[in-house]
Every structure is written in structure tokens, then in C-alpha cells.
Amino acid sequence: MVDLIGIGESEAGGVLVPPGFRDRVKECTPEQLTKDKRCEDLPVMVFDAGRMPYIARHVTMAWQAGQLALLHRAEKGTGGTNRSLACTGPRKQEMKPASCDEYPLASSLEGGAGASTQAVPGGEQFIQGGVVNSTYQKNNMKTGDEFLVVVINGDKIPQEAYKG
């Protein structure tokens, strides 16, 4: 298991990343990351646990299980296929009426059959979709471009799994 590290303020506003990525974002504030969607030359996708607590929980748990924080944008239109590979069969049925969240993201090259999945509120997935799309657009990202996923406001991550 990997311990996550906080950068900046450890309470609300801190940035969570796996240890190997501390140096990539240690100079950037949560406000910079959220507004600019990048830290110096690296595009950054920010999941705010204040707005998406269960998605932030899933991302941090996936990191602890060995999933990557540095992802690469997949070709446009492949997200549906990757989502179907990750969120299928009995596992998806067990999550209803909640929504199936997959990490790495379906829109990343790393997404798909090996992704971690967890039940999350559908409203959070709606917010997540906006974050993903705005990060890609703001950084003019193309297929294969790398980006780092970070979590802010880690103190808002729930201890328990979403129950629906």
C-alpha cells in the first residue's frame, strides 16, 4: 500500500498525490491548480473532495492499490469502450442505483479492463465529466498527452464507501 502525501496546507486546500509525484506539484497552490489546470509545464486534473467526495475517495484508494496518478489522454471517443470494459456485468449491477466510477479514467490510455471501480453518486460523475473536459480543453490536450491527477480538500474524503 502507498501512503499519500499532502502538499501545502494539510487541512482544507491541501493537495494529495502519491509520494513519487510530490516534486511535480510542490510549488503549485490548490488555487493555481484549479484555475490554471496545470503546474508549470504539466497539465493537472484536480478532483476536489469538497465537490466530489466519493470520487476523491475512489481515486486515492486506487492510487493506494497501485493505479497511476500520471495518465495519458486517449483518443476522443474511446471513453465509452473503456467504460464498458471497466464497468460491466455483475459488478455494475451490484452498484445500482449508484453510478460506476472507474479509475484510471475511461478517457485515458490507462483506462479500461484493469481499472478500479467503485459506486459513486451520479451527480458527482456529472461534475467529474466537466472537470475532465475542461482540463482537456484548457490544456489543448491531444491523444497521448500526459496529465497528473491530484486531489484537493482531502479532509472532505468520507471514511465509508457510498451506499447509494
Side-chain angles (χ1 to χ4, degrees), residues 33-46:
L33 297 172
T34 303
K35 180 181 172 227
D36 298 340
K37 301 191 185 327
R38 62 186 310 107
C39 185
E40 297 177 8
D41 64 340
L42 179 64
V44 176
M45 190 170 294
V46 180

Side-chain angles (χ1 to χ4, degrees), residues 3-8 15-29 32-33 38-44 69-70 146 148-150:
D3 289 326
L4 303 179
I5 59 168
I7 298 168
V15 180
L16 291 176
V17 295
F21 295 97
R22 176 184 170 85
D23 289 342
R24 297 290 298 260
V25 295
K26 70 181 179 186
E27 302 301 324
C28 295
T29 66
Q32 269 181 299
L33 297 172
R38 62 186 310 107
C39 185
E40 297 177 8
D41 64 340
L42 179 64
V44 176
L70 189 67
E146 71 178 4
L148 181 65
V149 177
V150 302

Side-chain angles (χ1 to χ4, degrees), residues 53-70:
Y54 290 99
I55 286 177
R57 179 180 188 276
H58 180 212
V59 169
T60 58
M61 290 179 75
W63 288 341
Q64 290 173 327
Q67 296 287 1
L68 303 172
L70 189 67

Side-chain angles (χ1 to χ4, degrees), residues 37-112:
K37 301 191 185 327
R38 62 186 310 107
C39 185
E40 297 177 8
D41 64 340
L42 179 64
V44 176
M45 190 170 294
V46 180
F47 293 130
D48 183 346
R51 297 182 66 212
M52 300 172 282
Y54 290 99
I55 286 177
R57 179 180 188 276
H58 180 212
V59 169
T60 58
M61 290 179 75
W63 288 341
Q64 290 173 327
Q67 296 287 1
L68 303 172
L70 189 67
L71 304 177
H72 299 82
R73 182 169 184 180
E75 186 175 337
K76 289 181 183 178
T78 61
T81 301
N82 279 349
R83 192 170 298 103
S84 293
L85 290 170
C87 296
T88 63
R91 178 75 178 127
K92 183 175 182 179
Q93 294 305 314
E94 292 169 10
M95 293 185 191
K96 294 205 179 223
S99 186
C100 179
D101 183 54
E102 70 283 343
Y103 187 88
L105 304 169
S107 62
S108 71
L109 291 174
E110 296 78 8

Side-chain angles (χ1 to χ4, degrees), residues 10-13 16 48-54 56-57 124 151-159:
S10 60
E11 304 335 301
L16 291 176
D48 183 346
R51 297 182 66 212
M52 300 172 282
Y54 290 99
R57 179 180 188 276
E124 286 189 28
V151 171
I152 63 170
N153 296 318
D155 61 318
K156 306 282 194 256
I157 295 174
Q159 295 297 311

